[in-house]
Amino acid sequence: MTVSPDQLADPAVRAFVTAVNAGDRAAVFAVLTPDASMSDDGSDRDVQQWTDKEIFSSEGHMDVESQSDDGRALVVNYRNSTWGEMRTAWRFVVDGAGSISRFETGQA
């Protein structure tokens, strides 16, 4: 059973997941701070390059399995056309203005 994006507790994370699933690059970057950072399996990556490769050019999709930490920590069945489907963990740092300043993902 999955958690619908509209049931995610944190509004910024909800907007991020919704935008990823819609393939909406502009909406993803609208919810990120201009200097947002991210890591994949513990290695820092360039946000624009990573999202272009792992989300937008490969049809990335997030099926949220569970949420914790007020909706800022997710377990996700993530799939794209490059890697197929994998169980991943996502953690988000949301600033005081309600934008995501950092996200981390990796195998769950």
Side-chain angles (χ1 to χ4, degrees):
M1 185 155 178
T2 60
V3 178
S4 172
D6 64 340
Q7 295 176 315
L8 296 174
D10 187 275
V13 174
R14 183 181 326 121
F16 181 89
V17 171
T18 300
V20 166
N21 289 349
D24 188 338
R25 188 178 197 284
V28 166
F29 281 92
V31 75
L32 298 177
T33 62
D35 61 344
S37 63
M38 63 88 51
S39 70
D40 183 1
D41 282 328
S43 297
D44 279 357
R45 307 282 187 205
D46 178 272
V47 174
Q48 289 192 20
Q49 288 177 357
W50 187 90
T51 56
D52 283 345
K53 179 180 178 189
E54 301 295 338
I55 297 173
F56 303 115
S57 69
S58 61
E59 303 166 336
H61 189 87
M62 302 173 79
D63 288 323
V64 179
E65 183 180 303
S66 64
Q67 65 178 320
S68 58
D69 192 23
D70 295 321
R72 294 182 180 176
L74 308 177
V75 174
V76 172
N77 290 314
Y78 185 78
R79 68 180 181 274
N80 67 25
S81 60
T82 302
W83 305 108
E85 186 167 322
M86 64 194 87
R87 191 166 187 258
T88 56
W90 295 69
R91 294 202 54 83
F92 297 88
V93 177
V94 179
D95 71 7
S99 296
I100 296 170
S101 60
R102 181 169 176 81
F103 66 92
E104 299 171 351
T105 186
Q107 298 284 332

